[in-house]
Amino acid sequence: MKDAVFSLKSRKVCSLNSSWLLTLLAGKREKTMLSLLVLLCVIFSLVISVVIFQDSIVSSDEWSYLIQAHIFSHGRLAVPSPVQREFFDHVHIVNNGRYYSKYPPGWPFLLALGVFLGVPRLVNPLLGAGTLLLLYAIGKKLYTPQIALLAALFALVSPYFLFNTASYFSHTASLFFVALLVFLLMQGCEESNSRYFFLAGLSGSASFLVRPFDQCAVLIPIGLFLGVSLLRKHLGAHHVAWFGLGHLNGFLLFLFYNMLQNGHPLVTGYHVADQWMERWFGPALWMWAYNVSYLWKLLTWSFPGLPILALYAFFAPAPERVKRCERGLASIFFALIAAYATIAFPEGPGYGPRYYYSGFLAIPLLGAKGCVRLLERARLGIFLLLGAGLLHVGIVLPYHSTLVYTGIYAQNDFERQVKQINPGPALVFLAPEPESGQAPTRNTIDFRSPIVYAIDRGEENALLMAAYPGRRYFRYQYDAQNGRAVLREIARDGAD
């Protein structure tokens, strides 16, 4: 009886104060609205990357991905390390005679397609747009077209989604493949077709090649779902076997890549680049403090109140088929929270709780369902929604945009000073970052661009100057008198 009462498939929304919103998302406008959301995703992401990110590579993670994408685009796994390679020992890069990114190959490979076509900035926005389409498809299967569109809309207007989609981070690709995996599993369960389970496994393979740790966390609830479904005879053993076979491809490709790149199937780029990796794991390093910070960021980087609406919807009654899927989506998200509570990754640069991003599907989908329930039951629901919208447009978006823009502007100071001088061919020494002991890198993979950036090693700088004759030489370092970092030309012997 409760299933019939609360089924979102059959409910008609007739409240005068909210029907206009759902009417806008329904009927003949459905495809038009979806097309508009997808187009806006690409446009907004590109605008953010050019205006707020100032068309720059923000983090060392992103630069490492882009370096490997350029290497892949030349049909190579690595390039030779530059002369005096210790001047180019940048974080997230293997520089041991061969120069390449420490990260798994999945995201750099996708990014290489954009590099090859001359549009690397477009890769993530297209994947973000694809994620919106999958959100809509999953929401339509679970609920109604209106809720599906509302879920896509909530994702689009969340800075958490938009800013990551505008970046070079790998999380957008990971979320896309997780969403594709979920959609294909739902399709396979509906049609009892082994082909969809195999394709779902291949999607999991792609996700594994992009972010292996995230996908291992995602596989825990997915594996439990498949196991329980098999025991209850909702699925056959052949369905689970086809899924496993599809997923095995990614694991084998990862081992093969490690063999070619690092010399052993079980040696990753992390092991080669990060000698301190063994200190990541252990009870003393559990990230509970980070989890509190990340959950707060989830609230502040999403559309206002969206995670709370998702919780409200999660505990609301629904048909068993719907609840089973909702539990699966929520389990993926909570599996990532638990996984990153046991590994000592620092928060680092990012836009919202980026380590949870692969499980973001649950937030807009359940949040949209919760919003509709609120509109149906609360007379003031529409006013609460409008208030949240005004808060979002008036405070949340401007705050995050200003904060990110200011940080990136300060970070790019050395490049602006170089452009102002316009030195021609030059070698610029940068003081290492105090926390990481590294310096930003903006070099091409042949280390022969007009401006070459290197780590400032004091008296040893003369060694690198000798390897780059015919250039002007500069040092960028903090000046106590000016209270800021200053770019100054230096003589060949390294003296000012």
Side-chain angles (χ1 to χ4, degrees):
M1 184 65 181
K2 285 186 177 180
D3 287 354
V5 173
F6 290 106
S7 173
L8 293 172
K9 282 283 187 180
S10 61
R11 182 178 299 276
K12 292 184 178 180
V13 180
C14 58
S15 300
L16 293 177
N17 67 344
S18 61
S19 60
W20 66 270
L21 176 63
L22 298 182
T23 301
L24 181 66
L25 299 173
K28 297 179 180 178
R29 298 183 181 91
E30 182 184 335
K31 292 183 179 179
T32 302
M33 287 293 295
L34 181 61
S35 301
L36 179 62
L37 293 178
V38 168
L39 179 61
L40 287 176
C41 176
V42 176
I43 293 173
F44 288 166
S45 300
L46 290 175
V47 168
I48 289 170
S49 67
V50 172
V51 177
I52 298 176
F53 296 170
Q54 300 149 63
D55 198 25
S56 61
I57 296 91
V58 178
S59 71
S60 53
D61 303 62
E62 294 168 283
W63 191 260
S64 180
Y65 293 132
L66 198 57
I67 284 175
Q68 193 62 41
H70 279 279
I71 294 172
F72 281 163
S73 71
H74 286 78
R76 306 178 69 176
L77 290 175
V79 294
S81 290
V83 294
Q84 304 294 337
R85 70 189 191 201
E86 63 274 10
F87 285 89
F88 304 95
D89 277 335
H90 300 297
V91 69
H92 306 317
I93 293 291
V94 175
N95 183 23
N96 59 1
R98 299 171 70 246
Y99 192 87
Y100 60 96
S101 170
K102 75 176 187 182
Y103 288 117
W107 172 229
F109 176 79
L110 292 173
L111 198 52
L113 300 176
V115 169
F116 183 78
L117 297 172
V119 286
R121 275 286 182 199
L122 196 56
V123 179
N124 256 349
L126 290 177
L127 289 171
T131 301
L132 289 186
L133 289 172
L134 289 166
L135 260 175
Y136 169 78
I138 294 169
K140 192 173 181 179
K141 281 181 176 296
L142 277 180
Y143 307 124
T144 65
Q146 295 99 319
I147 292 178
L149 281 173
L150 194 58
L153 177 62
F154 277 146
L156 177 63
V157 298
S158 294
Y160 186 35
F161 178 84
L162 266 184
F163 280 56
N164 280 289
T165 301
S167 74
Y168 281 120
F169 279 123
S170 62
H171 305 276
T172 299
S174 178
L175 176 62
F176 171 80
F177 288 118
V178 170
L180 184 58
L181 184 159
V182 170
F183 172 75
L184 290 168
L185 275 183
M186 292 176 67
Q187 194 73 21
C189 289
E190 283 184 10
E191 299 187 17
S192 193
N193 191 324
S194 298
R195 176 181 60 183
Y196 289 113
F197 287 91
F198 179 70
L199 292 174
L202 289 180
S203 299
S205 285
S207 176
F208 183 82
L209 289 170
V210 171
R211 294 188 64 83
F213 186 76
D214 288 23
Q215 183 58 20
C216 286
V218 169
L219 270 179
I220 294 172
I222 293 292
L224 288 173
F225 167 79
L226 292 174
V228 170
S229 297
L230 182 61
L231 289 174
R232 294 180 176 178
K233 298 184 179 180
H234 295 155
L235 296 175
H238 60 290
H239 296 130
V240 179
W242 277 110
F243 175 82
L245 185 62
H247 212 295
L248 183 62
N249 285 275
F251 181 69
L252 294 177
L253 279 172
F254 186 58
L255 296 179
F256 183 62
Y257 178 80
N258 288 338
M259 172 68 80
L260 295 177
Q261 191 74 288
N262 307 308
H264 191 282
L266 299 180
V267 174
T268 69
Y270 293 95
H271 293 94
V272 179
D274 301 330
Q275 298 302 318
W276 43 270
M277 183 177 173
E278 65 274 7
R279 294 192 287 110
W280 281 0
F281 295 93
L285 295 173
W286 281 14
M287 279 182 52
W288 295 112
Y290 287 117
N291 282 348
V292 173
S293 170
Y294 262 36
L295 291 174
W296 172 250
K297 286 184 176 182
L298 181 66
L299 282 172
T300 56
W301 277 85
S302 300
F303 182 83
L306 189 61
I308 296 172
L309 285 172
L311 271 177
Y312 166 59
F314 180 73
F315 290 106
E320 179 55 30
R321 181 190 68 85
V322 174
K323 290 304 295 182
R324 192 163 59 246
C325 291
E326 289 177 348
R327 286 193 293 267
L329 291 169
S331 296
I332 290 173
F333 186 71
F334 287 118
L336 285 161
I337 293 177
Y340 279 102
T342 61
I343 188 167
F345 277 120
E347 281 190 272
Y351 315 108
R354 64 185 178 98
Y355 294 134
Y356 301 165
Y357 194 76
S358 301
F360 181 59
L361 279 177
I363 304 300
L365 282 168
L366 287 167
K369 173 189 170 182
C371 179
V372 170
R373 289 180 64 87
L374 183 67
L375 291 174
E376 291 173 358
R377 285 162 175 74
R379 292 184 178 182
L380 297 179
I382 191 64
F383 298 106
L384 291 173
L385 184 61
L386 289 173
L390 291 173
L391 175 66
H392 189 63
V393 173
I395 297 178
V396 175
L397 273 175
Y399 171 77
H400 288 305
S401 299
T402 303
L403 189 67
V404 171
Y405 178 89
T406 304
I408 294 173
Y409 185 83
Q411 176 181 299
N412 291 341
D413 178 68
F414 71 95
E415 287 184 300
R416 283 195 303 277
Q417 291 195 38
V418 170
K419 289 178 182 178
Q420 288 171 1
I421 294 175
N422 192 19
L427 178 62
V428 179
F429 293 97
L430 303 170
E433 300 171 30
E435 293 185 2
S436 68
Q438 305 294 339
T441 176
R442 297 292 185 271
N443 298 317
T444 56
I445 59 175
D446 62 357
F447 298 91
R448 287 294 168 186
S449 55
I451 308 294
V452 174
Y453 296 99
I455 296 173
D456 185 359
R457 297 178 63 87
E459 294 180 358
E460 297 179 26
N461 290 350
L463 297 173
L464 192 62
M465 292 179 186
Y468 284 89
R471 292 175 178 249
R472 297 173 67 184
Y473 308 104
F474 296 85
R475 177 185 286 131
Y476 177 81
Q477 62 182 172
Y478 183 76
D479 187 326
Q481 289 183 341
N482 294 319
R484 60 188 293 265
V486 176
L487 184 72
R488 287 199 176 97
E489 190 163 6
I490 57 177
R492 175 71 178 266
D493 62 2
D496 290 349

